[in-house]
Amino acid sequence: MSDKDVLVSMGFDPARIEWALRATKNSGLQPAMDFLLEHSDDPIPDPSAQAQAAPSSVTGGDAPMDEDDEEDAAALRAVYGTGAGAAVAAAADVEAKSIKCSQCGKIFKNTSLANYHAEKSGHDQFEESTEEIKPLTEEEKKQKLAELRSKMAEKRSVKSKEEAKEQQANEALRRKAGRDMGAAKEDLQAKQAMKDAEAKRREKIEDAKARAAIKAQIEADKRERAEKAAREKALREGKSLPESSASSSTPAAAARPGGGAAATTAGKDFKETRLQIRLASGGQPYTTTLSSDATLREVAEFLAGQVLSVDVETVSFAQHFPRKQFSHADFSKTLRDLGLTPSAVLIAS
């Protein structure tokens, strides 16, 4: 069985085997196997380019050195030093059958294998030798084949471990990125929840203030109606007005929105006014908070920005309790002057 058949039976690519045999000058199974292991991951070069780059060989053979052998010997002396040149000159009349590395003692069949050994080991001292390289026996071929398979298996195992380690590192990075993203998302959700809770708390406070103001308004209106009824009864019966009626008329008037100087004074305590605007045609109410110095026209402009069917120039506002209708002349007045602070409900039509 030829060296090529042995390598094919081992599962190597035929083209890669041809490359190895060309590179080692068909010098045997061991050099070809070493070459395949060394260049297992390298691309196969163009055969024509490899032929141009291949170094000249010094052949042993059975015949004495001719002119070509002399040229190869001179080239060997130029590359590997004067030691090899002296050995060649001394043994010019002796049949050279191999090339020996003076540093490690290994013997090579030709200069191509010697060059290959020099590249791998860094040795640079060679000499010609009369020692003949015997071909491998079948037992040696099997042993070399087993060694080659062992080396290939070891190389694949190392590569597999490196790939597994790299995959594990990538997985760790991916998990860390996922954890960081999850933590950022949870933090954002927590901040949003706190923001929503604070907004609800403020809204509850504003609603409580509005309910308190409406309740105070209702009590003031009740007192005013009771005093008015008492005055009317006293007038019908020809009696004098009760002192409490005269003295309490001013606070009652002050309790009404727009009910005089007292209302204006009380309204000065509120810098903002919370408004709830409802459409007479129905639908959802619109809530906003404006400065107490804002005019009623600004309220109309806010509503026009929310509802396309509302026109600032034609819209009108009214209060159901206490019942009051605002005219366009009131559009230039502030919410404080109109007695709408700190909160009010307006009906837009």
Side-chain angles (χ1 to χ4, degrees):
M1 181 181 292
S2 64
D3 293 340
K4 181 177 179 181
D5 295 335
V6 173
L7 295 173
V8 170
S9 66
M10 294 173 60
F12 286 105
D13 180 56
R16 191 169 290 275
I17 294 173
E18 293 288 345
W19 176 33
L21 293 175
R22 286 195 306 271
T24 58
K25 301 294 183 179
N26 293 313
S27 56
L29 180 62
Q30 179 61 37
M33 288 191 293
D34 291 341
F35 187 88
L36 286 171
L37 280 178
E38 184 72 21
H39 302 278
S40 60
D41 297 328
D42 297 341
I44 301 175
D46 185 7
S48 59
Q50 186 182 14
Q52 294 176 1
S56 300
S57 63
V58 177
T59 58
D62 295 331
M65 291 193 299
D66 55 12
E67 293 181 0
D68 293 335
D69 295 334
E70 290 291 345
E71 292 177 0
D72 289 342
L76 186 62
R77 288 193 298 271
V79 174
Y80 299 111
T82 57
V88 172
D93 56 343
V94 181
E95 181 180 358
K97 297 183 179 181
S98 60
I99 299 175
K100 183 178 181 180
C101 176
S102 302
Q103 294 175 259
C104 66
K106 289 187 177 181
I107 300 175
F108 306 96
K109 186 176 180 180
N110 52 43
T111 55
S112 297
L113 296 178
N115 288 337
Y116 181 69
H117 173 72
E119 291 176 0
K120 291 183 62 178
S121 63
H123 296 170
D124 57 0
Q125 299 296 325
F126 294 86
E127 61 183 2
E128 288 187 345
S129 173
T130 58
E131 185 176 350
E132 184 178 2
I133 299 177
K134 297 180 180 180
L136 295 176
T137 63
E138 292 297 327
E139 186 66 25
E140 290 174 338
K141 289 183 178 180
K142 291 180 180 180
Q143 183 179 358
K144 292 293 183 182
L145 181 59
E147 292 177 0
L148 178 60
R149 288 176 176 172
S150 176
K151 290 181 180 179
M152 291 180 62
E154 182 179 357
K155 186 174 181 180
R156 288 170 181 167
S157 176
V158 171
K159 186 175 181 181
S160 177
K161 290 180 181 179
E162 291 177 352
E163 291 177 351
K165 187 176 181 180
E166 183 179 357
Q167 185 176 1
Q168 186 177 4
N170 293 337
E171 181 66 16
L173 290 176
R174 186 189 67 79
R175 290 181 180 178
K176 184 178 183 301
R179 288 195 299 270
D180 293 344
M181 185 179 296
K185 186 176 181 181
E186 290 177 0
D187 185 56
L188 182 61
Q189 290 176 349
K191 289 181 179 179
Q192 185 63 37
M194 292 177 61
K195 186 177 179 181
D196 295 342
E198 181 64 18
K200 289 182 179 179
R201 188 184 68 82
R202 288 204 208 100
E203 187 175 355
K204 287 182 179 179
I205 293 174
E206 295 294 334
D207 290 342
K209 289 181 180 179
R211 287 194 297 270
I214 292 174
K215 185 176 181 180
Q217 184 68 47
I218 292 173
E219 295 297 330
D221 289 342
K222 285 182 179 179
R223 289 195 299 269
E224 183 180 3
R225 286 195 296 270
E227 292 172 0
K228 183 178 179 181
R231 289 197 301 271
E232 290 177 353
K233 182 177 180 182
L235 290 173
R236 286 196 303 270
E237 295 178 354
K239 299 178 180 180
S240 60
L241 295 177
E243 294 181 2
S244 60
S245 176
S247 61
S248 61
S249 60
T250 301
R256 294 194 307 269
T264 304
T265 302
K268 291 180 180 179
D269 297 336
F270 300 96
K271 295 182 180 180
E272 293 183 344
T273 300
R274 180 180 173 84
L275 295 176
Q276 186 182 91
I277 307 172
R278 299 179 180 177
L279 299 177
S281 59
Q284 65 174 5
Y286 299 92
T287 304
T288 184
T289 301
L290 298 175
S291 171
S292 297
D293 295 326
T295 62
L296 191 60
R297 184 178 185 85
E298 292 181 45
V299 178
E301 291 173 351
F302 163 76
L303 184 61
Q306 304 296 320
V307 185
L308 297 178
S309 59
V310 172
D311 187 357
V312 177
E313 302 300 331
T314 59
V315 68
S316 62
F317 297 101
Q319 270 187 308
H320 282 178
F321 188 83
R323 185 174 297 277
K324 185 175 182 180
Q325 182 72 35
F326 298 99
S327 64
H328 276 270
D330 296 325
F331 273 34
S332 60
K333 297 180 180 180
T334 65
L335 302 179
R336 181 182 285 110
D337 295 337
L338 295 174
L340 299 177
T341 57
S343 61
V345 179
L346 297 177
I347 308 300
S349 59

